[in-house]
């Protein structure tokens, strides 16, 4: 249950607990909370455990420059660390850092790795059961792995043939495709969920974790089928906050582990993983001529420039450009063969 926030003291006294309380009051995602806490701790350690309130903009500059000069961090990593520190000073301490003068990373943004359609299919074929269905959704609907495992019964709209992603990055909701080839498999999965939920109810369980204040607003919703996860865990577990025995969704790391093994078995020698399916969803839609703004909407990107990175991935070979060594003479012979 790695995506459920740990319980905080009623009146936090430690700095990190107070920061977590502030992040939750502003409804930051738990993943963002963990990331920000990591960089804030790292910042405090870098400055020999001094309290951050006693530090100023110069200390922030020296730390962010250290990330580039000594740790060779990318620009995205540096930006994440900066965002964490700005949150702490501006939102928590109420202190404006002013104009910063740290060294920015010059490392270029790396193009995302993508599967060809045949590679994606071969990886999916190397998976079994629930893992194969999850990988098919990541590739066919452009879902992040955590979005896929968090899908609930009510998020699958069979009538309109779409998937509603409600607990997405940045707490944004969006719609994406429900591939026609997966409709029957998803319906079969739904029947399994119904049977498992019925069994849990008979055993006095059957509750599921509800985000935000929904459990207080709708006291009985946690036991309703609509809120159950489409990909439930194999066993019941204890919620670390409420101490309630309930069934969570399948673990993100379990899926990542199985996908890595399938990639290795398919003899694909790329730096790839679950997120590669999402990248491949976008690039293959571009190759098929799908409008980039439709892709942006399905991926849930706020800024179109984020989606435009995939136009570089598609490459010049998609635009009819031919290498000189592949040019044929009218007789059908490659020029390179004639020269040799």
């Amino acid at each position: 249950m790695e995506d459920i926030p740990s319980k905080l003291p009623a009146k936090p006294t430690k700095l990190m607990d107070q920061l977590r309380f502030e992040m939750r009051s502003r409804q930051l995602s738990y993943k963002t909370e963990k990331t920000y806490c990591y960089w804030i701790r790292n910042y405090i350690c870098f400055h020999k455990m001094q309290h951050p309130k006693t530090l100023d903009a110069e200390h922030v500059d020296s730390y962010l420059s250290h990330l580039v000069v000594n740790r060779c961090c990318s620009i995205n990593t540096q930006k994440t660390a900066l965002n964490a520190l700005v949150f702490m000073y501006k939102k928590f301490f109420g202190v404006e850092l002013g104009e910063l003068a740290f060294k920015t990373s010059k490392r270029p943004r790396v193009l995302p790795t993508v599967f060809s359609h045949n590679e994606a299919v071969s990886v999916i074929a190397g998976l079994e059961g629930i893992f194969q269905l999850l990988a098919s959704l990541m590739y066919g609907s452009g879902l992040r792995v955590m979005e896929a495992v968090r899908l609930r019964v009510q998020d699958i709209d069979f009538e309109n043939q779409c998937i509603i992603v409600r607990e997405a990055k940045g707490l944004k909701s969006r719609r994406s495709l429900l591939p026609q080839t997966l409709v029957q498999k998803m319906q079969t999965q739904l029947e399994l969920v119904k049977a498992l939920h019925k069994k849990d109810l008979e055993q006095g369980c059957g509750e599921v974790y509800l985000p935000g204040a929904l459990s207080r607003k709708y006291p009985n919703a946690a036991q309703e089928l609509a809120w159950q996860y489409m990909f439930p865990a194999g066993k019941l577990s204890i919620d670390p906050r409420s101490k309630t025995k309930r069934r969570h969704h399948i673990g993100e790391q379990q899926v990542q582990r199985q996908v890595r093994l399938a990639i290795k078995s398919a003899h694909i020698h790329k730096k790839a993983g679950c997120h590669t399916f999402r990248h491949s969803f976008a690039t293959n839609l571009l190759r098929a001529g799908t409008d980039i703004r439709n892709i942006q909407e399905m991926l849930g990107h706020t800024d179109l420039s984020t989606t435009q990175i995939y136009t570089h991935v598609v490459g010049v070979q998609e635009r009819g450009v031919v290498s000189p060594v592949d040019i044929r003479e009218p007789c059908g012979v490659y020029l390179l063969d004639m020269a040799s």
Side-chain angles (χ1 to χ4, degrees), residues 208-270:
V208 72
Y209 167 75
L210 296 182
L214 286 173
S215 57
R216 293 194 298 273
K217 189 174 182 180
Y218 306 108
N220 299 321
Q223 289 190 337
E224 293 175 3
L225 177 65
W227 285 99
Q228 303 305 306
Y229 289 113
M230 280 295 294
F231 300 99
K235 60 181 181 179
L236 296 166
S237 55
I238 302 297
D239 189 312
R241 298 171 308 168
S242 63
K243 306 302 178 185
T244 305
K245 192 175 185 181
R246 54 175 51 139
R247 191 177 297 277
H248 202 50
H249 57 68
I250 191 171
E252 177 185 15
Q253 294 179 351
Q254 287 178 267
V255 183
Q256 291 170 331
R257 192 179 307 115
Q258 292 299 319
V259 168
R260 282 197 298 269
L261 291 172
I263 291 170
K264 186 176 180 180
S265 297
H267 304 291
I268 296 173
H269 308 295
K270 295 179 177 180

Side-chain angles (χ1 to χ4, degrees), residues 65-319:
S65 297
H66 155 76
L67 293 181
V68 171
V69 175
N70 300 318
R71 288 182 53 174
C72 301
C73 290
S74 68
I75 189 167
N76 285 344
T77 301
Q78 190 185 44
K79 281 181 179 178
T80 302
L82 172 62
N83 290 340
L85 299 181
V86 168
F87 178 89
M88 177 177 65
Y89 280 104
K90 186 175 180 179
K91 304 295 185 182
F92 183 67
F93 291 136
V95 175
E96 291 287 348
L97 289 172
E99 190 172 344
L100 298 173
F102 57 90
K103 292 184 182 296
T104 55
S105 176
K106 301 301 181 184
R107 289 179 61 190
R109 186 172 184 179
V110 179
L111 292 178
T113 302
V114 298
F115 293 130
S116 68
H117 177 67
N118 288 339
E119 287 174 331
V121 169
S122 66
V123 174
I124 292 170
L127 295 163
E128 295 180 350
I130 197 170
F131 300 108
Q132 186 178 77
L133 185 51
L134 280 162
S136 299
L137 281 172
M138 287 186 280
Y139 179 48
S141 306
L143 305 185
R144 299 177 178 92
V145 59
M146 187 53 79
E147 292 170 350
V149 298
R150 280 179 176 173
L151 286 173
R152 299 178 190 256
V153 170
Q154 63 181 336
D155 298 334
I156 312 301
D157 189 340
F158 290 106
E159 289 297 319
N160 293 309
Q161 214 157 318
C162 69
I163 292 174
I164 303 158
V165 186
R166 302 181 194 273
E167 299 175 55
K169 188 176 180 180
L171 299 178
K172 295 174 291 186
S173 296
R174 70 179 193 276
R175 289 189 176 210
S176 190
L177 304 171
L178 173 60
Q180 292 184 11
T181 53
L182 297 182
V183 169
Q184 184 59 53
K185 292 180 180 179
M186 291 296 286
Q187 288 174 337
T188 301
Q189 180 64 22
L190 177 58
E191 293 304 315
L192 293 174
V193 171
K194 287 179 181 178
L196 186 60
H197 181 50
K198 182 180 178 182
K199 179 182 175 183
D200 287 345
L201 288 171
E202 290 171 350
Q203 294 178 352
C205 301
E207 280 195 11
V208 72
Y209 167 75
L210 296 182
L214 286 173
S215 57
R216 293 194 298 273
K217 189 174 182 180
Y218 306 108
N220 299 321
Q223 289 190 337
E224 293 175 3
L225 177 65
W227 285 99
Q228 303 305 306
Y229 289 113
M230 280 295 294
F231 300 99
K235 60 181 181 179
L236 296 166
S237 55
I238 302 297
D239 189 312
R241 298 171 308 168
S242 63
K243 306 302 178 185
T244 305
K245 192 175 185 181
R246 54 175 51 139
R247 191 177 297 277
H248 202 50
H249 57 68
I250 191 171
E252 177 185 15
Q253 294 179 351
Q254 287 178 267
V255 183
Q256 291 170 331
R257 192 179 307 115
Q258 292 299 319
V259 168
R260 282 197 298 269
L261 291 172
I263 291 170
K264 186 176 180 180
S265 297
H267 304 291
I268 296 173
H269 308 295
K270 295 179 177 180
K271 187 180 178 182
C274 286
H275 210 68
T276 311
F277 286 119
R278 178 173 161 88
H279 294 321
S280 306
F281 167 82
T283 53
N284 286 330
L285 283 180
L286 270 178
R287 288 189 179 108
T290 307
D291 182 75
I292 194 168
R293 292 198 176 273
N294 288 333
I295 298 172
Q296 176 194 5
E297 185 179 343
M298 288 186 284
L299 291 177
H301 290 160
T302 303
D303 193 337
L304 183 62
S305 64
T306 307
T307 317
Q308 286 174 331
I309 191 70
Y310 297 110
T311 61
H312 301 290
V313 179
V314 169
V316 293
Q317 72 273 17
E318 307 293 334
R319 303 169 202 156

